[in-house]
Amino acid sequence: MSLVRRLLELDDLDRAQFTGLLDHAEAWKRDPASLPHALAGTSVAMLFQKPSARTRISTEVAVTDLGGHAVVLRNEEVGIGGRESVEDVARTLAGYCGVIMARVFDHAVLETMALTVATPVVNLLSDRAHPCQGLADYLTIREHFGSLDGRRITYVGDGNNVAASLAFGAALSGAELTVATPPGYELDPDVVARARNLGGVVERSHDPHEAVRGADVVYTDVWTSMGQEAEQELRRTAFQGFCVDTALMAAAGPGAVFMHCLPAHRGEEVSAEVIDGPASLVWEQAANRMHSVRSLLASLDVRPPTPGGRRT
Ligand code: CP
Ligand code: NVA
């Protein structure tokens, strides 16, 4: 597979790259001794405008496992867009680091960084996408079922960043995705159009019980994402009827598994019986964040740090 130049959303990858990343992740998970020191001598900047447990820890561990060094920065220390422009932050980081990874409120920040410097830029979650999560999700589904082609995934809840990355992963893998949301919270039509252009089968629904029928995977995420806290009460009301509980899992069928990117709110988007029950894959999914990001980091087109991150 060819090297990955950037990952702002999963459609930055082609099908061969997507499958190759899952293949390597699986191989190195099975045989950790074969993990290459692909990041030897490379420092990786990890910048966070929002909190994180899984993303920060799994990525930092992965960088170390690959022989690199992670520099983890909270935005309070950097002041992106305030203390300094997005472009100047990117140029500065590119002078020291071979990879720039960032969790941001506004997806446009990542696009600006990727346009400004030649250094690979990786999205660690934005308002629009969570591609590293999507990689771990498809790794987990493939491990559980043995294949992705034709696998039916139903996402129930907010048509948000996580749902968008699931849509592109479906398009790249042959899985079929239905996203069931309350009216007003649908998956972005632009995401649906782009995923379908890639050959993806992506449908939208307002009826969770109908949408989960025949699903292999029932997936949900929080109703109120980071940065939307002021809408919490409004959203709790809007999402009534969209909790993944035992009745909804029963409507999916006996072989269906439950997935959630975490953090979870038991009693809101998922019941405790489901997330802590036998059909739940959430801990395999969380652990796979490390295996999949190792594979991504080892496949990046890393260049030596350059003053100002100039494109050559
Ligand atoms: N799933 C996920 O991205 O978790 P964190 O927000 O804890 O990184
Ligand atoms: N949609 C959630 C995902 C958290 C991992 C958020 O953006 O907060």
Side-chain angles (χ1 to χ4, degrees):
M1 65 180 252
S2 55
L3 291 173
V4 175
R5 300 294 304 271
R6 63 174 218 173
L7 188 68
L8 305 197
E9 177 51 295
L10 283 179
D11 65 347
D12 282 327
L13 305 174
D14 60 30
R15 279 168 181 257
Q17 287 173 322
F18 183 77
T19 305
L21 289 179
L22 300 190
D23 291 345
H24 284 129
E26 233 174 63
W28 293 331
K29 182 176 178 177
R30 260 199 317 273
D31 179 14
S34 65
L35 194 67
H37 266 195
L39 292 181
T42 299
S43 291
V44 176
M46 296 170 56
L47 175 59
F48 287 88
Q49 286 187 321
K50 301 177 184 179
S52 171
R54 278 147 292 271
T55 304
R56 186 243 158 112
I57 300 163
S58 62
T59 309
E60 190 172 345
V61 169
V63 171
T64 303
D65 289 347
L66 293 164
H69 170 67
V71 182
V72 182
L73 300 152
R74 290 283 314 190
N75 193 46
E76 291 84 325
E77 300 162 273
V78 179
I80 197 164
R83 183 169 181 265
E84 202 160 11
S85 71
V86 175
E87 289 88 341
D88 284 358
V89 169
R91 290 179 184 120
T92 302
L93 295 175
Y96 313 125
C97 298
V99 181
I100 299 175
M101 309 179 89
R103 170 168 284 198
V104 301
F105 285 98
D106 183 356
H107 192 81
V109 167
L110 296 165
E111 287 173 343
T112 302
M113 285 180 159
L115 285 174
T116 304
V117 295
T119 313
V121 174
V122 174
N123 182 359
L124 295 180
L125 180 145
S126 70
D127 54 337
R128 291 209 338 236
H130 199 1
C132 294
Q133 180 68 51
L135 279 177
D137 296 340
Y138 282 97
L139 175 63
T140 308
I141 297 167
R142 200 174 80 165
E143 276 180 346
H144 184 82
F145 290 102
S147 65
L148 291 174
D149 197 31
R151 205 54 65 193
R152 293 182 60 186
I153 303 165
T154 300
Y155 176 98
V156 176
D158 187 17
N160 61 12
N161 44 8
V162 170
S165 292
L166 285 173
F168 291 113
L172 292 169
S173 68
E176 298 176 11
L177 178 72
T178 301
V179 178
T181 68
Y185 295 91
E186 293 89 355
L187 187 60
D188 185 343
D190 173 60
V191 169
V192 177
R194 277 163 52 205
R196 285 182 181 160
N197 276 342
L198 286 172
V201 178
V202 177
E203 303 297 338
R204 301 196 297 178
S205 163
H206 292 137
D207 182 342
H209 279 265
E210 178 63 33
V212 298
R213 195 171 300 151
D216 297 304
V217 177
V218 180
Y219 195 122
T220 192
D221 181 18
V222 291
W223 292 341
T224 303
S225 284
M226 292 179 276
Q228 298 172 332
E229 290 75 9
E231 298 173 21
Q232 188 161 351
E233 282 315 313
L234 178 77
R235 284 170 168 270
R236 274 197 184 125
T237 306
F239 284 89
Q240 286 313 306
F242 284 78
C243 175
V244 180
D245 55 16
T246 45
L248 197 63
M249 289 303 293
V257 296
F258 171 76
M259 294 178 71
H260 191 312
C261 56
L262 306 177
H265 301 109
R266 289 167 177 78
E268 279 195 25
E269 75 275 6
V270 60
S271 69
E273 290 92 324
V274 168
I275 193 169
D276 299 322
S280 176
L281 293 186
V282 297
W283 300 118
E284 287 75 7
Q285 192 184 352
N288 274 339
R289 290 296 306 274
M290 181 184 73
H291 297 291
S292 51
V293 82
R294 272 177 176 176
S295 174
L296 171 67
L297 285 162
S299 305
L300 290 174
D301 186 12
V302 178
R303 313 279 174 87
T306 321
R310 284 185 205 101
R311 299 176 166 280
T312 48

